[in-house]
Amino acid sequence: MKEVYLDNAATTPMTPEVIDEMTTQMKDAWGNASTGYSYGRNAKLVLENSRHVLAQSINADDNEIVITSGGTESDNTAIIQTAFARQKLGKHIITTAIEHEAVLKPLHFLEEHGFEVTYLPVDENGNISLTDFKAALRDDTILVTIMSGNNEVGSRMPIHEIGEILKDHQAWFHTDAVQAYGLLPIDVKADHIDMLSTSAHKLNGPKMIGFLYRRDGINFPSFIKGGDQETKRRAGTENVPAVAAFAKAVSIDTPEEKKRRQERYYHFKKKIVQGLRDNGVDFDVNGEIKPDNLNHVLNLWFKGISTYVMQTDLDLAGIAVSGGSACTAGSIEPSHVLTAMYGADSPRISQSIRISFGALNTDEDIDKLINAVVKIVNKLKKINGGEE
Ligand SMILES: Cc1ncc(COP(=O)(O)O)c(C=O)c1O
């Protein structure tokens, strides 16, 4: 039986066009882009053409795109370097309770170094309130880091409104767009975004490559210390074939294609919910299903069935989904996102799974998922009345 991959928020497979581009450039553009002879010049040309594609995709200028090793490095750089470069102006930072660890851990590190962080709460749908945001903003706030869309429940943050509010404030505005970049049109100028993180492997590109958009005028030293690559903003020899493959993935993911994917994933979500309901499965959606959320993520609570059992049984049925939480040494850590939405005592924390769609998923995959879940639920009902 063909395996079904439904964990695209974790990572996506590289598509054939992207693999072709990468292998071509591994043969043609393997030179060091910082060298002055023909091999280097050729690599540099491929690098700069790719940078142009990446810049265009968010309405940025080419010199505002700094190639990094992906979302984690981009987030770390934006947060830690901003804090240390601007500490004379204040030590206060605003974020949300449901950011990715790549944002939360650097913030915890800064707290240990005397910075103060406000974590905006979220409601049961994973949304923050602008009133809370305005109340948290202070004269000594130097950085606001708020994700564009959440990786566990797909809720979106009011990026445009926050950008408008911060236009006349000293705080720099960073957004982690790692999940949103492949699905939403992004315009850093219209939204007054100062820094934005992306990652290629979430949109069918290679892993360990991404970029940090740094608005012209955002100045801080390179986070990674070493050579003068990326106009002294990120040391280390660029992986030109991977950057070219990233640009290829981005060029396939046109605004029209993003819109098409959003609609298609919305249809998948509704189909799953309807299919499970029709078969009497006792479940609830974590968050909400609405057309303008990040539609590739669907988080479901299967009442009375532990995350571990559902995930393992689906794996045995050839379907890969996420437990929505980190699995360390056999123990499942509770999701901080679901905890922020429903409280630490909610059964949802230990009984939910995340299903996430990608460019290669078909309606047939969705049918297989529905059938498999129904079978698992009915089997468990027979064994022990559905209780774990
Ligand atoms: C919202 C978000 N931010 C950051 C990251 C980290 O990105 P990367 O895997 O490229 O380091 C992820 C990856 O899961 C993510 O979903």
Side-chain angles (χ1 to χ4, degrees), residues 63-137:
N63 66 347
E64 295 175 313
I65 301 296
V66 180
I67 303 300
T68 67
S69 66
T72 301
E73 184 190 320
S74 298
D75 287 345
N76 272 258
T77 304
I79 293 166
I80 294 175
Q81 297 307 80
T82 295
F84 286 124
R86 309 197 79 209
Q87 53 186 326
K88 285 206 179 82
L89 299 171
K91 288 195 143 195
H92 181 239
I93 299 170
I94 300 176
T95 189
T96 78
I98 62 166
E99 299 294 314
H100 190 271
E101 303 289 353
V103 165
L104 293 177
K105 295 247 170 90
L107 290 172
H108 297 162
F109 166 80
L110 289 173
E111 284 176 310
E112 286 163 18
H113 287 79
F115 289 86
E116 189 191 337
V117 182
T118 301
Y119 298 88
L120 298 174
V122 291
D123 64 17
E124 295 214 335
N125 289 324
N127 295 320
I128 58 165
S129 110
L130 277 175
T131 315
D132 287 348
F133 171 68
K134 285 183 200 152
L137 193 61

Side-chain angles (χ1 to χ4, degrees), residues 219-234:
N219 289 321
F220 49 68
S222 176
F223 184 53
I224 308 281
K225 314 291 179 207
D228 288 344
Q229 290 88 354
E230 296 296 298
T231 46
K232 301 191 177 163
R233 291 171 301 173
R234 201 282 184 183

Side-chain angles (χ1 to χ4, degrees), residues 9-10 69-73 75 99-103 147 149-151 176-179 198-202 208-209 354:
S69 66
T72 301
E73 184 190 320
D75 287 345
E99 299 294 314
H100 190 271
E101 303 289 353
V103 165
M147 68 196 333
N150 183 263
N151 48 303
D176 174 339
V178 167
Q179 293 291 337
T198 68
S199 178
H201 75 100
K202 306 291 185 182
M208 275 275 166
I209 202 84
R354 179 187 69 181

Side-chain angles (χ1 to χ4, degrees), residues 347-368:
R348 292 176 191 252
I349 313 288
S350 54
Q351 300 175 354
S352 295
I353 60 161
R354 179 187 69 181
I355 299 155
S356 53
F357 317 114
L360 304 182
N361 285 126
T362 59
D363 269 287
E364 202 192 338
D365 294 341
I366 302 305
D367 291 334
K368 282 188 184 160

Side-chain angles (χ1 to χ4, degrees), residues 130-204:
L130 277 175
T131 315
D132 287 348
F133 171 68
K134 285 183 200 152
L137 193 61
R138 309 190 321 213
D139 288 347
D140 65 339
T141 308
I142 49 166
L143 172 68
V144 171
T145 173
I146 293 186
M147 68 196 333
S148 300
N150 183 263
N151 48 303
E152 286 190 38
V153 295
S155 57
R156 278 177 65 184
M157 302 299 143
I159 295 304
H160 182 75
E161 291 79 357
I162 293 170
E164 280 291 328
I165 295 167
L166 292 179
K167 219 167 51 179
D168 304 316
H169 189 281
Q170 69 159 0
W172 286 350
F173 181 26
H174 166 250
T175 184
D176 174 339
V178 167
Q179 293 291 337
Y181 183 44
L183 281 182
L184 304 178
I186 294 176
D187 184 329
V188 287
K189 298 211 162 71
D191 287 348
H192 306 285
I193 295 167
D194 295 312
M195 292 170 284
L196 178 140
S197 303
T198 68
S199 178
H201 75 100
K202 306 291 185 182
L203 55 141
N204 307 106

